[in-house]
Amino acid sequence: MTASSHSDSVVVLFGATAGAYGAKLGSDERELILLVWQVVDLHSKKVGTLHKCLVKADNLELSDQCREVTGLTPEGLSKAEPLDRVLQQFSQLVSNDLKALGRSSYTFCTDGQLLIRQVLHPEASKKNLLLSDCFYSFYDLRKEFHNFYPNSAPVKDQTIQSMAEYTGFGIDETEEDFGVWQVKAMVTVIFHMLSDTCNHRFSEPETVKYKYETGPCSKSEAVDSETVIRARGLPWQSSDQDIARFFKGLNIAKGGVALCLNAQGRRNGEALVRFVNSEQRDLALERHKHHMGSRYIEVYKATGEEFLKIAGGTSNEVAQFLSKENQVIIRMRGLPFTATPEDVLGFLGPECSVTGGKEGLLFVKYPDGRPTGDAFVLFACEEYAQNALKKHKEILGKRYIELFRSTAAEVQQVLNRYMSTPLISTLPTPIIPVIPPQYTIAAGSVRDCVRLRGLPYTAGIDDILEFMGDATADIKPHGVHMVLNQQGRPSGDAFIQMKSSDRAFLVAQKCHKKMMKDRYVEVFQCSGEEMNFVLMGGTLNRSGLSPPPCKLPCLSPPAYAAFQTAAGTAVIPAEAAIYQSQALLPPTRSSQASAAAAAAAAAAAAATPAVTYYPTQAAQLYMNYTAYYPSPPVSPTTVGYITAPPAAVAAAASATHTPMLPQPGALVRMQGLPYNAGMKEILSFFQGYQLHADSILPLYNFSGQPSGEALVTFPSLDSAKKAVAERSGCLLGSHCVELCLI
């Protein structure tokens, strides 16, 4: 017997769990304990036998509401069959009833969406049970009733009893067992709707998607904010299919899972998920703090704008790459910069057949064409993808390669990040980074923090949270601080702010010398003052505290953006824009200039007392403090930026005797300059274009050496285009200089 969207019979189905009842059915993850059903012939209006079947749950503990409403007991349930056996019995009994009625197909009819979407599908998924096709379509009696009786109560307010009373049938709940009277009442309502005076047709059932469909998303696409959620707390290795399985029973839009990446380009344990409509989104919100494995997942509302920021793309190359649907995507990280498509295909081997050969490879590059070491690969089936994942951390050239499952949204996100963040793409107003006051770093002598020492250098925040286990619930919002060394790399240390000194003590006792990956980690209780010293450049060891240096060296920042800014805005650190950091300007800086710059920073801070500033030397992106652990209910907070007060900009410019960057006009990037090229040579190169020294900004690397690049501001867009057309590819000395309009 089969289930069909044009069936001649319906199976009226009712169920209950060991927990919440009614509108909250399934919201607490409790297991199914009761199924009641009856076959109804829509043509002859005959019915089959009414069946009631108890289900033995893995956890026989019943909520007080469940005991009161259902009258069931753990003792009675302990004698029942488990869900897989009950489903087999159900299939056989329905088949027998259909034969007796002379029918061959059926569709479920339920009281609302919850039993199918929020109970049966999630529980079957967790228990690895394969539901038959009949569970993927059903009639929602509440919707059918409201469509036929539009003056009745709204769908969300309908109940079995209210529908029966609206049609003139009274129900005495005390005369029948729980579950039995509900099914009888639903059958009565259906017969009334099928009567000659009403003649209702059941023709458009609700559907449940069999599987999640991958696909690209364009930034120009309209995404309804009422269809998007943010899932937080995901295991870092989760794929889009894992997330779709967590929301099993709900219909996710095609390409609707977007895994979020942190500043290092790694997954941060969050995802944005887009559903086909607001009804599905609202059901998804009811899965707040449901579990994926041993971890509970937080689910919050999000916006369409947030989804497009992560999943949307504009690149034709990416769109073409993702146009091959139903492919398994694998991300490769750590490729040699000289790696070619042939090298990658050779590394994967014949057992990992790449879809389309070279066309199934997408190398991630910077805007100037330099490789990032990342690539995405398409595989036609799960078997090939699994074979590829077995090569995780194998060697290509002299580097080991990391391989991970990926998604279409992650492809877009990675490409968007690399392609939209050149070294300096625009000339924004000078800015000073600040941290919102409610998330200031702790101070004081209360020992409510812990220090983790000896972390693996590859450890991220997800690893730390997993290491701390249940104690993560006691971490203050935005209370995870990782310490970088002077090269901008992980130092092996981290500080965690706990909710109290007692919690910090317990964590230190429980986690000290516990293993993380292949290393044991030392955990010490400490104070906010001690933590603050280290985060601001000082040291903490057995000998005590060593304060931060009076003048920090010019530290090399990480290769990734430490903090994200508003979309489309490239940030020049405050020291670069105002105080002539050695990162961008020659290292000829007088002590007077330094003092004047510091005074300007102090003036800026005084002018805006409502904002918390770090000390001048630590306010750069090079400070030890690198990351937050986002906690609900707010969205993950990044360092904010405010425009530097005009007075501070003017004071700094005057004190350092260096012209500020001109704002009007068009910007051109020069690449391939001789390292000894100065203002005079660059001006000569552009002779006849009405440029002056203030129009040119040579770029220096983070060692203070010339980078071979410069930014040139032209008085108009036309003059900039003319220069690019006429001078790009010309020689300066013995070097061929490339020009590009920014």
Side-chain angles (χ1 to χ4, degrees), residues 518-687:
D518 57 346
R519 301 186 64 170
Y520 74 83
V521 178
E522 298 174 289
V523 184
F524 306 102
Q525 187 178 8
C526 66
S527 68
E529 180 181 20
E530 293 168 336
M531 181 187 77
N532 226 354
F533 264 80
V534 175
L535 294 178
M536 289 303 168
T539 58
L540 173 62
N541 52 39
R542 293 182 181 179
S543 302
L545 289 170
S546 298
C550 294
K551 181 178 180 182
L552 292 179
C554 179
L555 307 182
S556 298
Y560 49 84
F563 307 109
Q564 297 179 3
T565 60
T569 302
V571 174
I572 304 176
E575 284 268 320
I578 302 178
Y579 312 122
Q580 298 187 35
S581 167
Q582 295 175 358
L584 292 178
L585 300 175
T588 56
R589 178 176 174 185
S590 66
S591 59
Q592 290 86 352
S594 299
T608 320
V611 185
T612 302
Y613 288 85
Y614 283 117
T616 304
Q617 286 83 6
Q620 307 179 51
L621 299 187
Y622 316 146
M623 55 193 294
N624 287 344
Y625 177 81
T626 63
Y628 290 121
Y629 166 49
S631 298
V634 298
S635 294
T637 304
T638 56
V639 169
Y641 291 89
I642 62 167
T643 303
V649 177
S654 174
T656 58
H657 305 290
T658 299
M660 297 304 291
L661 299 175
Q663 296 303 315
L667 192 65
V668 169
R669 183 196 296 273
M670 301 182 72
Q671 295 175 298
L673 291 169
Y675 293 123
N676 58 355
M679 293 286 189
K680 181 179 178 181
E681 288 76 17
I682 296 175
L683 286 171
S684 297
F685 183 81
F686 288 113
Q687 187 174 3

Side-chain angles (χ1 to χ4, degrees), residues 40-93:
V40 177
D41 186 331
L42 297 177
H43 298 289
S44 67
K45 300 174 187 175
K46 295 180 180 179
V47 297
T49 305
L50 191 149
H51 301 276
K52 178 178 179 179
C53 193
L54 300 182
V55 184
K56 182 179 180 180
D58 294 339
N59 180 3
L60 292 175
E61 182 181 350
L62 306 180
S63 69
D64 293 340
Q65 183 187 28
C66 176
R67 288 173 181 266
E68 180 181 350
V69 172
T70 66
L72 298 175
T73 63
E75 292 75 19
L77 291 174
S78 65
K79 301 174 183 177
E81 297 285 355
L83 181 59
D84 57 340
R85 298 273 185 86
V86 170
L87 292 177
Q88 292 174 6
Q89 293 175 13
F90 166 85
S91 180
Q92 185 61 48
L93 291 171

Side-chain angles (χ1 to χ4, degrees), residues 407-444:
T407 68
E410 186 173 30
V411 175
Q412 297 279 25
Q413 191 178 172
V414 171
L415 267 293
N416 289 346
R417 172 166 298 180
Y418 280 113
M419 294 305 293
S420 63
T421 53
L423 180 60
I424 303 177
S425 60
T426 59
L427 295 179
T429 304
I431 50 183
I432 296 176
V434 298
I435 289 182
Q438 62 267 41
Y439 305 126
T440 54
I441 294 178

